[in-house]
Structures are given as structure tokens and as C-alpha cells.
Amino acid sequence: MLSGKFITIEGIEGAGKSSAIAGLQYLLEQHNVTYITTREPGGTTLAEAIRELLLQNHNEQVDAIAELLLMFAARRQHVQTVIAPALQQNIWVLCDRFTDATYAYQGAGRGLDVNMIDQLQQMVHRALTPD
């Protein structure tokens, strides 16, 4: 059973996610709440490598489904090795983006069917959703 809180901040680049996270960090520190901060894609060595791969310029167009699968591969590693263990230890997790960003970027932005994203979400992090 998860006992920490999972808080995600969503938005485009420059929307103020870092400022919002800093404000939350301040509040949590004032209330002596143990927390970690992390980001997506990323948060683990492997997930950060996937992030770098996604951000690199390539000599070919990255297929939208390939991009989606890489995002969820990074997310699975992140959830299993960082997010879920922290929550189980009653540690709050502040995360810069999560699956809502996938619905925005890969769903609306890249035109992928949201049912495909729904299926991957169920496979990768099941009932884990932000508080």
C-alpha cells in the first residue's frame, strides 16, 4: 500500500513548473514532510538515457509510436525504481510531468489514439495516478 503522496506538475516549457515545485518544496519543508523531486522522462540512470535519446537530433524522423513506447519504457523504470518505493516509505514524490504530458504531447500533439496510451498506462503503472 502506498502511503506517501504523488504530486505531479504538468505544463509546457516555461510554464512555471520549476517554480511551482520550488514552492511545494518550501511548504513541505515547513511541515517536516520528507519528499523527493524527480522528472519525466528521466528520474533514473536508464530513464535519463532514454530522455537523452529522445532529445537528440536524428537523421530520421522519430516514429510517433516508437516515441510513445520509449516514453513508457522510461516511465516504467522510473515508477518501479524511484516513485513506488518512495511512496511505500511514506516519502512524497514531486514529479515534473507524468502521464498527463503523454496524453498532451503524444496524444494531442502527435495524433496518437488515446486508447493506445490508456493501454500502456494500465500496463506500466496501473492504478498509480497523481494525488
Side-chain angles (χ1 to χ4, degrees), residues 1 23 38 41 50 54 72 87 89 102 106-111 122 131:
M1 175 144 188
T38 190
I50 294 170
L54 287 165
F72 272 104
L87 294 172
Q89 296 173 34
T102 303
Q106 283 72 42
R110 297 276 260 151
Q122 286 301 309
D131 291 295

Side-chain angles (χ1 to χ4, degrees), residues 24-77:
L24 288 169
Q25 288 174 304
Y26 176 79
L27 288 172
L28 293 176
E29 288 166 5
Q30 296 303 305
H31 290 90
N32 296 315
V33 175
T34 304
Y35 70 90
I36 61 168
T37 59
T38 190
R39 68 179 183 175
E40 289 233 341
T44 75
T45 302
L46 178 58
E48 289 291 336
I50 294 170
R51 177 189 184 91
E52 289 303 315
L53 181 64
L54 287 165
L55 293 175
Q56 288 175 3
N57 288 326
H58 301 279
N59 292 332
E60 60 187 300
Q61 182 72 24
V62 177
D63 177 77
I65 294 174
E67 180 183 86
L68 177 68
L69 293 170
L70 286 169
M71 293 296 295
F72 272 104
R75 183 164 296 132
R76 176 66 181 190
Q77 188 69 16

Side-chain angles (χ1 to χ4, degrees), residues 1-8 36-44 47 74-99 124-125 128-131:
M1 175 144 188
L2 305 179
S3 53
K5 296 291 182 192
F6 183 34
I7 308 297
T8 62
I36 61 168
T37 59
T38 190
R39 68 179 183 175
E40 289 233 341
T44 75
R75 183 164 296 132
R76 176 66 181 190
Q77 188 69 16
H78 192 205
V79 166
Q80 292 300 112
T81 61
V82 175
I83 297 172
L87 294 172
Q88 289 167 348
Q89 296 173 34
N90 200 31
I91 298 170
W92 286 41
V93 177
L94 305 179
C95 189
D96 182 332
R97 294 196 179 125
F98 196 62
T99 304
V124 168
H125 59 86
L128 176 65
T129 57
D131 291 295

Side-chain angles (χ1 to χ4, degrees), residues 106-118:
Q106 283 72 42
R110 297 276 260 151
L112 292 179
D113 184 348
V114 295
N115 292 318
M116 187 182 332
I117 299 170
D118 290 342

